[in-house]
Amino acid sequence: MVEKFQKLTELRYNDTMSNRFVALNDLTRKIRACFNAIFLLPLDKYDVLYVPANLMYRCIISDLMTSLFIAVIDDSQLDEVIHVMDIDFTKSLKNSLEANIEIRKETYPDESEDFDELSKNYQIKLYDDLMNCLSSEKGEEWEIKKANSVFINGIAYTGRIRQMYDILKTLDYEVRALASVYQYYKLFSQSEHYSLKGRIFNYKQELYEKYYNKIHGYIYLIERYIYNRYGKQVTQN
């Protein structure tokens, strides 16, 4: 189903040049990549690898939630939602560039390199790709635009996956049922946080195999739902 859906999104993007299908195609390829990585983990030999498997499944669920969210958003609000996501990425990128400069300063304290100039050059190099998220001019210190909250069915979306879940739960029954995959996102997120109690469950194959199978089922159902939603349009066209 994933491969079939990927081909559909590529077809729709080439046909419409829509950001909706650029995003759906990217997310589908990410899901396939995570699956390929999970299947390479020798889980039967090293119980500790269930933690990275759980985190990759969490990434898959996040991509599934985002796919479903983007698939059902009205055209009138789609660009606003994508802009919120772009602003969020730009903020994180700016923070990582600043952290990189700080690391270089600490690592090479006697370096004669002009770190301020280095930071400026980074920002100039990336400016053209991010300019719709910036209010500053090229060559100036990045000033990131403030993204307006997108209100969907009375719920504000500012880029958080929990907000996607809350919004999806306001839609029709089928979408509400599929959105429940979020609860597995929360479950697998616990693998990111170490605890002595948590390790009892994180490394137990007999417990998690059942959860993995449920995620596989959600992947099939969500991608089938989106495929049917847009595949019919391809047939009609």
Side-chain angles (χ1 to χ4, degrees):
M1 189 67 211
V2 177
E3 183 177 358
K4 187 178 180 182
F5 181 62
Q6 182 180 335
K7 289 179 180 178
L8 169 67
T9 54
E10 287 173 355
L11 175 65
R12 290 305 308 275
Y13 167 65
N14 291 330
D15 181 41
T16 65
M17 302 299 288
S18 166
N19 283 335
R20 189 190 304 275
F21 296 103
V22 172
L24 290 176
N25 186 253
D26 285 345
L27 290 162
T28 304
R29 288 188 293 140
K30 282 180 64 183
I31 290 170
R32 292 186 70 183
C34 280
F35 259 130
N36 291 338
I38 288 170
F39 291 142
L40 291 175
L41 291 174
L43 299 179
D44 55 333
K45 292 184 179 180
Y46 305 104
D47 284 349
V48 71
L49 291 178
Y50 276 90
V51 168
N54 293 347
L55 294 178
M56 280 190 279
Y57 272 110
R58 184 186 69 163
C59 182
I60 287 173
I61 296 168
S62 175
D63 289 340
L64 280 174
M65 291 282 294
T66 306
S67 295
L68 186 60
F69 187 63
I70 287 177
V72 300
I73 291 300
D74 289 339
D75 289 340
S76 61
Q77 294 183 297
L78 178 64
D79 287 343
E80 292 179 89
V81 165
I82 288 177
H83 187 59
V84 168
M85 294 176 178
D86 287 343
I87 291 288
D88 202 36
F89 169 79
T90 304
K91 288 178 182 176
S92 295
L93 182 61
K94 185 175 188 293
N95 290 338
S96 70
L97 291 177
E98 292 172 350
N100 181 49
I101 296 299
E102 289 303 312
I103 291 172
R104 292 184 69 129
K105 287 180 179 178
E106 291 293 326
T107 307
Y108 309 105
D110 299 326
E111 185 74 45
S112 60
E113 189 172 22
D114 187 335
F115 292 106
D116 290 336
E117 188 66 21
L118 182 62
S119 177
K120 182 178 180 180
N121 289 338
Y122 275 140
Q123 295 188 27
I124 289 173
K125 183 177 180 179
L126 298 172
Y127 182 88
D128 290 344
D129 290 327
L130 301 170
M131 59 186 301
N132 68 323
C133 297
L134 303 171
S135 57
S136 50
E137 297 295 327
K138 194 169 187 176
E140 298 177 349
E141 179 72 16
W142 280 358
E143 291 291 338
I144 300 173
K145 292 179 179 178
K146 179 177 175 57
N148 295 325
S149 298
V150 182
F151 284 89
I152 303 170
N153 292 348
I155 300 172
Y157 174 70
T158 61
R160 307 280 77 83
I161 191 169
R162 171 68 202 219
Q163 295 165 334
M164 290 185 192
Y165 171 70
D166 290 338
I167 292 167
L168 291 171
K169 293 295 281 187
T170 68
L171 303 180
D172 62 70
Y173 175 79
E174 188 171 7
V175 173
R176 293 201 306 270
L178 294 173
S180 295
V181 72
Y182 172 75
Q183 302 305 331
Y184 291 94
Y185 174 87
K186 292 289 291 181
L187 174 67
F188 288 124
S189 292
Q190 294 305 312
S191 291
E192 183 181 0
H193 310 290
Y194 181 77
S195 68
L196 288 174
K197 295 297 184 183
R199 69 185 297 275
I200 298 171
F201 297 96
N202 286 339
Y203 306 159
K204 291 293 186 181
Q205 179 178 357
E206 62 271 18
L207 177 68
Y208 267 79
E209 268 191 343
K210 296 177 182 178
Y211 289 139
Y212 293 164
N213 290 337
K214 289 183 184 295
I215 300 307
H216 297 171
Y218 269 105
I219 292 169
Y220 175 79
L221 291 172
I222 290 174
E223 299 221 324
R224 186 184 67 175
Y225 172 85
I226 302 173
Y227 184 89
N228 289 340
R229 184 184 180 97
Y230 292 105
K232 291 177 182 177
Q233 295 178 15
V234 172
T235 303
Q236 291 169 358
N237 292 339

